[in-house]
Amino acid sequence: MTATATLDARTLARRLAEAEATIQALLAGQIDAVVDSATRTPLLLSKAQQALRDERDRAQRYLDTPDVILLALDLEGRITLVNRYACVVLGWSHAQLLGRDWFDACLPAEQRAERKDAFHSILSGDLAAVDTVVRTKNGDERLIGWRHTLLRDEAGRVTGTFSAGADITDRARTAEALRIAEEHVQQGEKMEAIGRLAGGVAHDFNNLLTVILGNCELLQLDISPADPRHATLGEVAKAALSAVGLTRQLLAFSRKEIIEPGVFDLNEIVRDMRPMLERLIREDVSVILNLSPDDACVMVDRGQMEQILLNLAVNARDAMPKGGTLTIETSNTELDATNASRIGAKAPGVHVVLKVSDTGNGMTADVQSHLFEPFFTTKDVGQGTGLGLATVDGIVSRSGATISVQSAPGRGTSFTVHFPKVTRQGGPRTVTPSSTAVVGVHAETVLVVEDAAGLRDMTKRLLNRLGYTALIAANADEAMQSFERGTRIDILLTDVVMPGASGPELVTRLIETHPALKVVYMSGHMENDESIVHDGVLNPGIAFLRKPFSSEALGRKLREVLDRVG
Amino acid sequence: MGRALTGVPPKLMLRLYVAGTAPNSVQAIANAKAICDEHFALAYELEIVDLISHPHRALADGVIVTPTLIKLQPPPVDRVIGNLSDAGSVLLVLAGV
């Protein structure tokens, strides 16, 4: 009896243990089927399980919606739920994030205190949408736009927050890029408007300056140099010349100036400019020229080349308020393909290098990045136009050259310009002064066609003074009449833009009846006339006199054309 | 070690009741084979009984749920219920502890 009783007790214990194991396995979802005690057939649980699993998977899919960060925090700010996309953005795995303090794990240290305060506001009901920065595992920062809601238990007590976030970093960057692009477009439109304005103003301005300068010159010729009025007139002329410089600056900057490229030795230009540079620069700045022993021939417009030097020198002077050294160096260097593309040169080969250095204040990287922008200036109001370096940049790029700058605060600044080198013989045209005397008694008759009366009369007087017979016409029709009357005319000096027919149109008409007619065009700024200029460069064979001109320039240009053979 | 010295170890005989290709059953088969291959090498026999195909076999061992693994030899007869994912508990039963 005892043995049986013992056996029963063991069996009972075993059965109980089995029952417990069965319940636990059921609870753990590890059971597939239960055997029906009546029919002895297994009843599959898997369908119900599958439905549960589907439900769970669906919920997970919602949670893992791409492009939305889902995050739940408890009252302490610990992460209680985080979805797959959040892990992708933050760079941490699900296991690494779950249970961690959100503020310690994912926010930049300097923002933790502030964001924790904000978290407490959210818990007390302030659910305003905010954008905040999160820090990813590899230290990147992302901008997230958040929407918050509160989690509550069955009794309605707040148990934490549930937040949805969108990564708006790229959107913010795109918006910023768009804003900068718009600024550039606006800047470009502004520049174009200024260019148009400058071109228009310069035309009239140059006519006026020619009259002022010409009359000054005529008066000075009548007055003895010992007369104090001679010097006074000199001052007037000097002021007018400054205005000429300013106009040219505006024109060069707005790319409305006609350029006459020729082959020049940069060394000669620098040497010729030295006296002027030294006048321009204060006594406490010493000028050192370090010029290459070989020639440094480049294809440039001489006036523009002088302007580059002038602007860089003035800039250097202003960077050295306490004095220093301005060094102008030239050299020849051979650029291989790699170096050529590094500095942005069009092609490899021998280049002439112009380097203008100062020992001044130097510049920060930020200032350097804006250096060539028009109207960017570090000088006080009224001290600089902000056009100097923008002009230099414009001229440099039009000359097929490149410019770069090396500078650091307190370590001075160097501007380096690379020009493609040319040989003297290779240039299409070089400017050679005429050997014939400019002033004297000349047999030729000049017809001046100019609509501006002051300029027309002044030019006539200058021509008379130079020893020419001068006729005048206010427009193309009057000029045609002079020819039709059979008056002998050796050379036509004509404005380009005039009311009625333009200068080039007049020439086209005259050339049919007077094929040997010689012509000099005069203008103050770039015309849109393809018969004279193309892309701002004077067409070959066209004689051109830039307004305003001196009597000497006028005389020289006339002789150059009149003495031309053929 | 003692058993190894006395000669041939007693062969392990197991019977696993499953319900077709239901997920826990498939998992239980894989787990049982893995545990036996690792710890008992070739000295075991594993019979797999699919109650979907042979429902009346449940009678014999008094099986009421699947998966159920029954250790038939060596004695005492014992059983493990579930998908056998806890290899440690399974080993304790198989070793007769």
Side-chain angles (χ1 to χ4, degrees), chain B residues 3 8 12-13 50 52 60 64-65 82 90 92 94:
Chain B
R3 276 181 186 167
V8 184
L12 181 65
M13 294 186 68
D50 180 1
I52 305 291
I64 57 165
V65 293
V90 177
L92 287 178
L94 299 190

Side-chain angles (χ1 to χ4, degrees), chain A residues 36-217:
Chain A
D36 179 357
S37 57
T39 62
R40 299 285 171 187
T41 52
L43 299 172
L44 283 173
L45 297 180
S46 52
K47 276 186 184 160
Q49 281 180 337
Q50 190 59 45
L52 266 175
R53 253 200 308 275
D54 286 351
E55 192 55 43
R56 202 181 56 211
D57 289 352
R58 196 158 48 237
Q60 193 63 43
R61 272 200 302 277
Y62 292 147
L63 214 54
D64 287 342
T65 308
D67 307 340
V68 178
I69 294 171
L70 294 175
L71 175 76
L73 303 181
D74 67 12
L75 293 172
E76 311 300 320
R78 284 182 298 251
I79 301 170
T80 54
L81 176 145
V82 62
N83 71 338
R84 191 193 50 81
Y85 185 67
C87 297
V88 170
V89 171
L90 294 166
W92 299 100
S93 73
H94 190 261
Q96 284 169 325
L97 286 172
L98 215 58
R100 281 191 73 182
D101 183 296
W102 163 254
F103 302 94
D104 287 347
C106 301
L107 293 192
E110 65 277 9
Q111 292 188 13
R112 275 175 206 152
E114 183 200 332
R115 296 318 315 161
K116 266 187 185 165
D117 286 348
F119 176 63
H120 290 121
S121 303
I122 295 169
L123 288 174
S124 54
D126 177 10
L127 303 176
V130 284
D131 298 345
T132 64
V133 171
V134 299
R135 181 162 290 170
T136 68
K137 185 182 181 183
N138 62 20
D140 288 346
E141 293 191 345
R142 310 287 303 176
L143 185 65
I144 311 293
W146 293 105
R147 300 243 170 208
H148 305 292
T149 185
L150 292 176
L151 295 173
R152 294 175 192 275
D153 63 13
E154 284 157 5
R157 286 181 298 249
V158 173
T159 57
T161 59
F162 183 70
S163 310
D167 185 347
I168 54 173
T169 316
D170 295 338
R171 204 194 302 162
R173 279 184 193 147
T174 309
E176 177 67 8
L178 210 64
R179 192 187 61 72
I180 290 170
E182 268 171 15
E183 255 177 26
H184 282 174
V185 169
Q186 279 172 6
Q187 180 78 343
E189 282 170 356
K190 198 163 80 181
M191 287 302 100
E192 208 183 316
I194 289 170
R196 271 200 299 273
L197 188 70
V201 169
H203 178 83
D204 296 337
F205 207 52
N206 277 332
N207 282 351
L208 297 173
L209 288 169
T210 309
V211 176
I212 295 170
L213 284 166
N215 281 310
C216 273
E217 218 178 320

Side-chain angles (χ1 to χ4, degrees), chain A residues 27 56 71 119 170 251 253 295 320 428-429 451 470 561:
Chain A
L27 287 174
R56 202 181 56 211
L71 175 76
F119 176 63
D170 295 338
L251 285 174
F253 162 71
D295 77 276
M320 299 184 285
R429 287 184 303 137
D451 60 301
V561 177

Side-chain angles (χ1 to χ4, degrees), chain A residues 277 280-281 308-318 326 356:
Chain A
L277 290 176
L280 196 73
I281 284 162
I308 291 178
L309 280 163
L310 208 64
N311 286 354
L312 292 179
V314 167
N315 240 53
R317 175 199 68 189
D318 295 342
L326 165 69
V356 179

